[in-house]
Amino acid sequence: MIHDPNRVYVFDTTLRDGEQVPGCQLTTPEKIEIARELEALGVDIIEAGFPISSPGDFQSVVEISKAVRNPTVCALTRANRGDIDVAVQSLQYAKHPRIHTGIGSSDMHIKHKFNSTREDILARAVDAVAYAKRFVEDIEFYAEDAGRADVNFLAQMVEAVIAAGATVVNIPDTNGYCLPNQYGDKIRFLKENVQNIDKAIISVHCHNDLGLATANSIAGLQNGARQIEGTINGIGERAGNTSIEEVVMILKTHQNLGLHTNINARNFYEISHMVATQMRMPVQANKAIVGANAFAHSSGIHQDGFLKNRENYEIIKPEDVGFPSATIVLTARSGRHALKYHLERLGHKLDRSELNDVYQSFLTLADNKLDINDEDLQMLVTSNVSLVQNENK
Ligand code: KIV
Ligand code: ZN
């Protein structure tokens, strides 16, 4: 198979990193439903769970492995043989199984989480990969807290695990610490200094503690990573993970980056709603791509420009991400153009002075009512007797 150097693989961890969020826990049937939607969305890899963590998570990996055919199904482990044995068992029905094993790579984690040394951690990493490779061909290694790790030690670790059989090396910014240029430089350093790096795909896995998860993921891709890990709606530990919908639409919008995915972006709106509902985690209204206001225009200046040419204020077409349509929201900041647009939509063609009259009544109403709906507009027109008479002539 010829490998397309510009193809970015999408690794979804909604059902693992996303599901770790308190209150977001799902039953196995709910996870299967989301996994099927992820398959329809076109993700390349579904991280289905952390099988050793609980019998429920183990069962979910088993059932998701049976339910989907196209995506690779991935199971998370720590770098020890016990975790790997359980993960191997959970993946027995997967058409394309992957084990995702790893260990801390920063001195912070090595000293204060593992109470260990770099040498010992390196040996454990290599042993975990080599052991997992006995059972499964596709092995992803994560260097936890790579964002804060010493880059030379990280390069040494990455080279060693690739030599042991890792097919993908995940460089997580576990704590969402890096600036985009720092994270991008780290990925480029690995690309340029790890001798066997051409034998593996570099993966970016960013957290959003400083609101930089998407920016850092893009910086990683610009510097040579070809797999991006994230979740739907950006849910995940603490401030969340990278939003898959954001990265995909950035690559589509900025074609000059020359990178593409296999994602069917028109499915984003539907899957976003499904995840929000099932995980009881509402999407903030101003969330990029899938938030309720992502395509709502409310100020007079924007509405006027949008009605003249939608591209004045729209860089993505709502239908391209499955959004029902753009909306012109009527508020006390709206102008006559927006009001005229909605009145004509309801069948009322008014001349200039009639529109002026209705606009004045509209402003009074909008100052006192947050949400102006079609009923309110009908009332504004019919309450103006002269207009009704004119319209009936
Ligand atoms: O954030 C992280 O480092 C992780 C790893 C387990 C991949 O989620
Ligand atoms: Zn994570």
Side-chain angles (χ1 to χ4, degrees):
M1 197 174 71
I2 300 169
H3 178 66
D4 173 357
N6 299 324
R7 163 83 191 280
V8 173
Y9 293 91
V10 176
F11 176 114
D12 180 276
T13 184
T14 306
L15 299 175
R16 200 279 297 169
D17 226 336
E19 212 241 2
Q20 285 173 206
V21 175
C24 284
Q25 221 184 339
L26 298 175
T27 61
T28 299
E30 285 171 331
K31 286 188 192 173
I32 292 172
E33 212 183 318
I34 292 179
R36 290 207 168 106
E37 276 300 308
L38 290 168
E39 182 170 37
L41 180 68
V43 304
D44 300 288
I45 303 104
I46 295 175
E47 187 161 53
F50 180 17
I52 194 128
S53 67
S54 74
D57 228 34
F58 176 90
Q59 202 50 35
S60 296
V61 179
V62 171
E63 297 304 329
I64 290 168
S65 297
K66 293 180 189 165
V68 301
R69 293 285 87 184
N70 295 324
T72 293
V73 177
C74 177
L76 185 79
T77 83
R78 292 164 296 186
N80 69 62
R81 293 183 176 206
D83 277 27
I84 293 167
D85 287 337
V86 175
V88 169
Q89 245 189 302
S90 73
L91 289 169
Q92 62 189 295
Y93 300 105
K95 188 162 176 225
H96 311 288
R98 176 181 293 183
I99 289 189
H100 189 191
T101 189
I103 198 160
S105 61
S106 64
D107 287 331
M108 179 78 203
H109 276 214
I110 293 170
K111 287 191 191 127
H112 301 289
K113 184 173 159 186
F114 294 101
N115 190 22
S116 184
T117 60
R118 287 185 178 184
E119 294 67 35
D120 171 58
I121 292 293
L122 201 56
R124 287 206 231 173
V126 168
D127 182 72
V129 171
Y131 184 69
K133 195 78 176 178
R134 291 192 204 167
F135 311 101
V136 174
E137 170 50 34
D138 189 3
I139 308 295
E140 175 167 339
F141 176 81
Y142 64 87
E144 197 181 5
D145 202 20
R148 293 190 297 173
D150 171 73
V151 76
N152 290 302
F153 177 64
L154 186 61
Q156 195 186 349
M157 189 179 227
V158 166
E159 195 162 308
V161 296
I162 294 174
T167 44
V168 179
V169 283
N170 178 10
I171 312 300
D173 187 18
T174 304
N175 292 293
Y177 167 77
C178 290
L179 293 171
N181 67 317
Q182 292 173 328
Y183 190 67
D185 286 351
K186 212 157 220 176
I187 301 296
R188 194 175 56 245
F189 184 88
L190 297 176
K191 196 85 189 143
E192 290 174 354
N193 292 282
V194 171
Q195 300 226 334
N196 51 7
I197 199 70
D198 55 317
K199 296 199 167 50
I201 291 174
I202 300 180
S203 186
V204 290
H205 177 117
C206 298
H207 279 265
N208 207 29
D209 300 66
L210 292 172
L212 290 170
T214 297
N216 284 344
S217 298
I218 295 293
L221 295 177
Q222 287 179 296
N223 284 282
R226 285 296 174 269
Q227 178 178 287
I228 172 264
E229 307 195 4
T231 59
I232 300 299
N233 300 336
I235 62 166
E237 285 273 349
R238 306 181 309 280
N241 287 59
T242 303
S243 292
I244 287 180
E245 61 274 14
E246 292 175 12
V247 171
V248 169
M249 293 316 291
I250 287 168
L251 298 187
K252 274 184 184 283
T253 305
H254 291 274
Q255 301 261 329
N256 62 326
L257 292 175
L259 300 174
H260 60 93
T261 68
N262 244 12
I263 293 292
N264 307 311
R266 283 172 187 267
N267 293 18
F268 275 141
Y269 183 71
E270 192 182 332
I271 194 165
S272 162
H273 272 256
M274 179 190 266
V275 168
T277 309
Q278 292 204 352
M279 291 192 152
R280 297 160 289 275
M281 187 72 147
V283 178
Q284 72 194 56
N286 61 333
K287 166 81 180 63
I289 317 296
V290 290
N293 291 347
F295 299 97
H297 305 272
S298 64
S299 82
I301 294 172
H302 286 213
Q303 290 173 336
D304 178 42
F306 177 82
L307 289 168
K308 285 176 176 146
N309 181 338
R310 51 197 287 173
E311 285 180 29
N312 279 325
Y313 288 99
E314 200 172 81
I315 58 163
I316 299 168
K317 291 200 188 86
E319 56 272 25
D320 288 351
V321 293
F323 224 87
S325 67
T327 46
I328 302 281
V329 185
L330 288 175
T331 70
R333 306 289 155 262
S334 300
R336 285 174 183 72
H337 284 101
L339 180 63
K340 183 167 175 269
Y341 164 83
H342 277 290
L343 291 176
E344 287 183 359
R345 186 175 56 75
L346 296 173
H348 301 294
K349 269 200 170 299
L350 311 188
D351 67 25
R352 216 178 147 149
S353 90
E354 291 165 343
L355 181 64
N356 265 338
D357 289 347
V358 176
Y359 184 62
Q360 294 315 319
S361 321
F362 158 77
L363 285 183
T364 309
L365 182 66
D367 265 338
N368 294 294
K369 188 170 186 282
L370 289 179
D371 179 26
I372 305 290
N373 56 34
D374 286 356
E375 260 176 43
D376 295 323
L377 294 179
Q378 295 288 10
M379 183 274 292
L380 284 171
V381 174
T382 51
S383 67
N384 186 319
V385 177
S386 67
L387 275 178
V388 172
Q389 284 169 351
N390 280 345
E391 285 190 292
N392 289 343
K393 266 185 206 163

